[in-house]
């Protein structure tokens, strides 16, 4: 029997970051996970975007989240000897004068000035894409290689004997008031579920308002494009570390049968890309995943109301790259130092 301070179920971006911050607090962890190519962390571009939506509003608590995320990813790069975070401005297409006026009004607000430029610098996009009415440019943004991060942290956990390969079986959990034992193999005072979309089938937290949205993306090769910034032109075109490779996406479907890619999704993305690019491209890969969603767009953090040995960290959704570091640290501090949970993310908000 192996003993640890914490068992974490799931090793996507949530489980990876939570394991990292718990270990930083001097705690031991064992992670239970079955690798899946359809996990959201394996498919997402990992975009950090401080200005979102049609009204160009600052993302929730972005002034805290982005600096913390950047510091965390730099620390992980040093720890794992990898490169995962790439600072990239985002060029946003403005389709008419009304959108242009809205952009200019926002960018003149002192609270928005650190994140917005009045006029975008298009670079290669000026000659290699179909020009729109106008453009704005977002700063303090970037792209995080979540797949590389989770893969590297998985290897780190495995090397120290802290990884149990396989899908966690809820029937193999023996839950007591002050400890949890899994399959007779590992015991800990606390088990934290960080399962992503699979959490919607978790019998212990089925009362939470889980949702799911399926997203499909393409990895394309566009020789000679030379794009270094991210373009938001109805879809995102995101430069990847590989030569001439770009992440293109994403679709957003609430109704789906499974997590597999579809011909419809590929056709939609290819057509959108043809509408934007002035140069040929080759589809290298077609990927898909189901993201966990929450109605109030706030993460799930906290302990089970009747079983204090069980807890949850989930609901990061499409903004996991920016939300994950801050809230993983927040939950780790809650468990190790007794700091209260922020009411906006505490699952107690759903107990009634």
């Amino acid at each position: 029997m192996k003993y640890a301070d914490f068992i974490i179920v799931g090793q996507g971006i949530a489980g990876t970051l939570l394991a990292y911050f718990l270990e930083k607090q001097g705690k031991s962890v064992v992670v239970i996970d079955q690798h899946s190519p359809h996990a959201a962390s394996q498919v997402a571009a990992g975009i950090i975007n401080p200005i979102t939506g049609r009204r160009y509003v600052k993302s929730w608590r972005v002034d805290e989240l982005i600096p913390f995320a950047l510091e965390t990813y730099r620390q992980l790069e040093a720890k794992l000897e990898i490169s995962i975070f790439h600072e990239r401005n985002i060029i946003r297409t403005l389709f008419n004068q009304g959108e242009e006026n809205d952009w200019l009004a926002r960018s003149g607000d002192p609270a928005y000035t650190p994140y917005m430029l009045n006029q975008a610098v298009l670079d290669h996009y000026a000659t290699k894409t179909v020009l729109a009415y106008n453009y704005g440019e977002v700063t303090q943004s970037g792209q995080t290689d979540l797949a590389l991060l989770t893969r590297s942290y998985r290897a780190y956990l495995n090397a120290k004997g802290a990884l149990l390969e396989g899908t966690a079986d809820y029937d193999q959990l023996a839950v007591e008031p002050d400890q949890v034992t899994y399959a007779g193999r590992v015991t800990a005072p606390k088990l934290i579920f960080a399962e992503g979309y699979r959490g919607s089938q978790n019998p212990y937290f089925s009362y939470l308002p889980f949702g799911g949205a399926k997203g499909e993306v393409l990895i394309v090769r566009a020789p000679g494009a030379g794009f270094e910034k991210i373009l938001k032109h109805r879809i995102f075109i995101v430069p990847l570390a590989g030569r001439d490779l770009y992440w293109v996406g994403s679709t957003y479907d609430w109704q789906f049968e499974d997590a597999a890619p579809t011909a419809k999704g590929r056709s939609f993305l290819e057509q959108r890309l043809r509408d934007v690019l002035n140069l040929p491209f080759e589809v290298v890969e077609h990927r898909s995943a189901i993201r966990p969603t929450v109605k109030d767009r706030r993460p799930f953090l906290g302990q089970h109301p009747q079983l204090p040995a069980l807890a949850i960290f989930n609901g990061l959704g499409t903004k996991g790259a920016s939300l994950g570091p801050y809230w993983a640290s927040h939950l780790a501090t809650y468990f190790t130092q007794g700091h209260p949970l922020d009411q906006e993310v505490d699952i107690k908000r759903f107990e009634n």
Side-chain angles (χ1 to χ4, degrees), residues 5-18:
D5 294 315
F6 292 87
I7 300 170
I8 299 173
V9 177
Q11 199 251 319
I13 184 63
T16 295
L17 290 168
L18 183 58

Side-chain angles (χ1 to χ4, degrees), residues 32-94:
I32 305 170
D33 183 73
Q34 176 64 53
H35 174 76
S36 169
H38 297 300
S41 298
Q42 302 303 306
V43 176
I47 297 171
I48 290 182
N49 182 11
I51 303 296
T52 61
R54 295 180 179 179
R55 296 184 180 276
Y56 316 122
V57 297
K58 288 167 63 174
S59 294
W60 174 62
R61 296 177 70 157
V62 69
D63 297 327
E64 301 168 90
L65 295 176
I66 286 185
F68 195 92
L70 179 58
E71 180 182 3
T72 299
Y73 293 134
R74 295 306 185 209
Q75 291 172 353
L76 282 163
E77 287 178 327
K79 176 182 179 69
L80 302 172
E81 298 182 340
I82 56 176
S83 176
I84 54 173
F85 182 73
H86 310 281
E87 296 184 58
R88 303 188 192 277
N89 284 7
I90 300 173
I91 297 174
R92 291 227 21 192
T93 303
L94 310 176

Side-chain angles (χ1 to χ4, degrees), residues 156-177:
Y156 161 78
L157 291 168
N158 197 35
K160 61 187 295 186
L163 177 68
L164 294 183
E165 295 271 3
T167 302
D169 182 350
Y170 303 122
D171 293 334
Q172 294 293 313
L173 287 176
V175 183
E176 302 175 48

